[in-house]
Amino acid sequence: MLHRRRLLASAPALLSLPLAAPTLAQPAFDHTIRIIVPFAPGGTSDILARILAPELTRQLGQSVVVENRPGAAGNLGADAVAKAAPDGHTILLIDAGILATAPSLYSRLPFDIRRDLAPATMLIYAPYILAVHPSLPAQDAAGLVAFAKANPNRVNVAHSGIGAANHLTALMLAQHWGVEPVFVPYRGGAAALAAAGSGEANLIINGATATQPFVQNGTLRGIAVSGPHRLPPFPALPTFRELGWPAVDSGTWQGVLLPGGTPPAMLARWDEVLRATLAQPEIARRIGDLGGEVRAEGPAAFRAWLDSETESWGTIIRANNVKLD
């Protein structure tokens, strides 16, 4: 009874205390979410999107669908997201190097990268694998350079489009080797891989996530890899740095952007959800098995990366007079 009286006596004082501030509600998702991949199926962005989509569906409680919008070197899909409603239900999953090169490749774009696209987070980094078709008589890096010097017109480099990061990387390597191979553009990495795998082209530099299976099954022969270290599945393949080659940090940097004008709270929500998804052991394992490394970073870091890469690639593009207009 005494305990009850004390509670009643303290009631007015309790009622006079300020109420605790309510927890801010997280942005809600109330209909289907679209992941726009601006390339054909089978490339690194597409593979990653399809790995993530089921877990995102589970976390968000809404269907998450992958929609391929290939064309114009990724600009068609990027433009679709730039013009979408900034409500968080349409996101762009892209090799961010495409966005970094676009301002220098085109005098006019249908969207402004800084104004119309808002970075949410970087997802993964996958180094490039330099590989050749087995018909090309080069067993290692030294053999490849020697063959290219002796037979420049017999080396056909497949890449995912003029001005793409893998095209520019191949250009830098060819200049370093002192050779002039034939550069053959395709509509995306998947098409370039198919060409190299069939022997239509005989050399490719492409993201490890998509290229690794071709090397593992013998369709292509691995020669070297970019990035900070050798790939665990291919410990015998040296890195560009070990070989003294340029473009040591080139590779595919996959990230997610939303339409410009998306509220900061929604960008933060996507950053949080994507980090949680990438932290799932099974998803991290699948990415690692494909040669990728989780590099989750938030909106500010992703924006700084884009600005820096845009400047760096712009210098290389202008030096080589590469234009798509």
Side-chain angles (χ1 to χ4, degrees):
M1 179 64 72
L2 181 61
H3 178 64
R4 182 183 178 193
R5 284 176 181 170
R6 284 176 177 169
L7 284 175
L8 292 172
S10 64
L14 290 172
L15 291 173
S16 67
L17 291 174
L19 296 175
T23 301
L24 294 176
Q26 291 183 319
F29 299 93
D30 57 15
H31 58 273
T32 298
I33 296 162
R34 296 185 302 154
I35 302 178
I36 303 296
V37 174
F39 313 110
T44 302
S45 300
D46 180 70
I47 292 170
L48 180 60
R50 295 181 192 280
I51 289 174
L52 299 180
E55 177 60 20
L56 290 174
T57 294
R58 187 190 70 79
Q59 285 198 53
L60 300 177
Q62 296 291 335
S63 294
V64 177
V65 299
V66 178
E67 183 178 323
N68 297 91
R69 290 278 195 97
N75 291 326
L76 188 64
D79 187 48
V81 174
K83 292 178 169 56
D87 60 6
H89 288 76
T90 302
I91 70 173
L92 176 70
L93 197 161
I94 190 171
D95 182 342
I98 295 291
L99 295 176
T101 59
S104 298
L105 291 172
Y106 301 90
S107 59
R108 291 195 303 174
L109 286 169
F111 58 94
D112 184 282
I113 290 172
R114 291 199 108 263
R115 182 191 64 219
D116 299 329
L117 290 171
T121 188
M122 189 72 79
L123 298 173
I124 72 166
Y125 165 74
Y128 284 147
I129 295 179
L130 189 159
V132 299
H133 188 267
S135 63
L136 197 152
Q139 301 298 318
D140 54 23
L144 172 61
V145 174
F147 180 83
K149 286 184 175 180
N151 308 274
N153 293 330
R154 291 178 59 191
V155 177
N156 301 306
V157 183
H159 59 82
S160 56
I162 296 173
N166 60 352
H167 170 226
L168 297 175
T169 298
L171 185 64
M172 293 169 67
L173 290 176
Q175 291 173 347
H176 178 74
W177 300 337
V179 302
E180 295 184 4
V182 179
F183 293 95
V184 187
Y186 290 87
R187 296 188 63 176
L193 268 173
S198 70
E200 181 178 292
N202 54 22
L203 188 151
I204 188 168
I205 300 172
N206 199 60
T209 308
T211 310
Q212 184 168 303
F214 286 73
V215 177
Q216 287 174 322
N217 66 22
T219 303
L220 294 172
R221 180 187 303 125
I223 298 293
V225 299
S226 66
H229 50 70
R230 296 190 180 197
L231 287 178
F234 311 114
L237 298 187
T239 65
F240 290 6
R241 188 184 301 277
E242 291 175 83
L243 294 167
W245 292 356
V248 295
D249 294 323
S250 62
T252 172
W253 297 81
Q254 301 289 326
V256 163
L257 300 96
L258 278 72
T262 298
M266 179 57 81
L267 294 175
R269 174 70 170 139
W270 268 111
D271 180 30
E272 174 190 37
V273 168
L274 289 164
R275 285 175 188 260
T277 301
L278 291 167
Q280 295 291 323
E282 177 60 16
I283 288 178
R285 182 194 65 78
R286 291 177 68 186
I287 290 170
D289 286 348
L290 291 169
E293 301 175 4
V294 173
R295 297 285 185 95
E297 298 179 331
F302 192 2
R303 172 64 72 192
W305 182 93
L306 268 176
D307 288 345
S308 175
E309 290 294 297
T310 299
E311 181 177 352
S312 297
W313 283 122
T315 300
I316 294 168
I317 290 167
R318 288 188 292 274
N320 289 279
N321 195 31
V322 180
K323 296 293 289 185
L324 285 177
D325 290 328

